[in-house]
Amino acid sequence: MSYLDQGMNRGRVYAIIAVAILHALLAYAVVTGLAYNFAKKAMEDLKTFDVQEEPPPPPEPPPPEQPEVQPPPIVTPPPMVRMNTPSPPMVSVPSAPPFVPTPTAPPAPPAPPAPPPPPRTVEPARARANLASYVSDADYPASAIRAEQQGTTGFRLTVGTDGRVTGCDITSSSGSPALDQTTCRIMRSRARFTPARDDHGNPATDSVSSRIRWVLPAD
């Protein structure tokens, strides 16, 4: 019930109560003999009034119209196209040849122990004479004289434990093969040495290097 309805009901209740009181007073006046005067006075005092009802509130405005939203158009998906995927080519793999075990060679025998190092030479071989004294003009090769060849021949001699020459190597040539060959031939046949000694005092092999200068003999 609204506040306006509550006010209207309250006014009606008050009017009914006032009328009831008036009727009671009139009855009392009739009984006591004062009805006339009291009724006259009450009628004068009684004032009728119309109860005006308050107008109802104006109706609420209707809600604004919502714009009609068009649903999205229905789109049909494109048809699926199946692609024929080519199968992978078949590759033939040649079968592996049968396994043939390789015979294993027997283990090699252990290497023989290394020979002990040779004794260390503490005293070198010494020529018993000047090596150039073993050569004379008579030893000059005739072919070198005709070709007028001369020069210095370098050589290295290997001396054995008996002091004799066992090997001869040319270390620098004189430019004449005849002079080089004659040098080694003379040293092998004529040169004599005191053999070298090792750290135990025993004779040992050794090598000696030297040079011979060949000069054409005077006429």
Side-chain angles (χ1 to χ4, degrees):
M1 182 181 293
S2 65
Y3 180 77
L4 179 60
D5 296 337
Q6 292 178 2
M8 293 175 63
N9 293 333
R10 188 178 298 175
R12 292 174 181 174
V13 171
Y14 289 162
I16 294 171
I17 293 173
V19 171
I21 293 175
L22 180 60
H23 283 83
L25 291 174
L26 289 175
Y28 181 76
V30 172
V31 174
T32 60
L34 299 177
Y36 177 78
N37 292 331
F38 181 79
K40 183 179 180 179
K41 186 176 182 179
M43 291 299 292
E44 291 179 355
D45 293 337
L46 182 61
K47 295 181 179 180
T48 61
F49 59 92
D50 296 331
V51 178
Q52 297 181 356
E53 296 181 0
E54 295 181 3
E60 296 181 358
E65 295 183 359
Q66 297 292 334
E68 185 178 356
V69 179
Q70 296 294 334
I74 299 176
V75 179
T76 304
M80 295 180 62
V81 178
R82 295 182 178 273
M83 301 295 294
N84 294 328
T85 304
S87 59
M90 300 295 293
V91 179
S92 60
V93 179
S95 59
F99 173 74
V100 177
T102 303
T104 57
R120 185 170 55 90
T121 301
V122 296
E123 184 178 353
R126 296 188 305 272
R128 297 179 182 177
N130 188 359
L131 296 179
S133 64
Y134 296 125
V135 180
S136 64
D137 291 344
D139 298 320
Y140 215 101
S143 59
I145 295 175
R146 290 193 300 268
E148 298 182 354
Q149 296 175 346
Q150 58 183 3
T152 301
T153 300
F155 56 91
R156 181 177 58 250
L157 303 177
T158 302
V159 180
T161 55
D162 57 355
R164 300 179 69 89
V165 176
T166 59
C168 177
D169 297 318
I170 302 299
T171 56
S172 60
S173 176
S174 62
S176 171
L179 295 177
D180 297 338
Q181 294 174 4
T182 302
T183 301
C184 281
R185 181 178 56 80
I186 291 173
M187 293 298 123
R188 285 193 186 97
S189 60
R190 301 177 185 176
R192 295 293 180 270
F193 292 85
T194 300
R197 299 286 176 178
D198 59 16
D199 49 1
H200 298 295
N202 300 320
T205 59
D206 198 4
S207 62
V208 177
S209 297
S210 185
R211 295 186 302 172
I212 296 293
R213 185 170 182 267
W214 292 91
V215 179
L216 287 170
D219 294 338

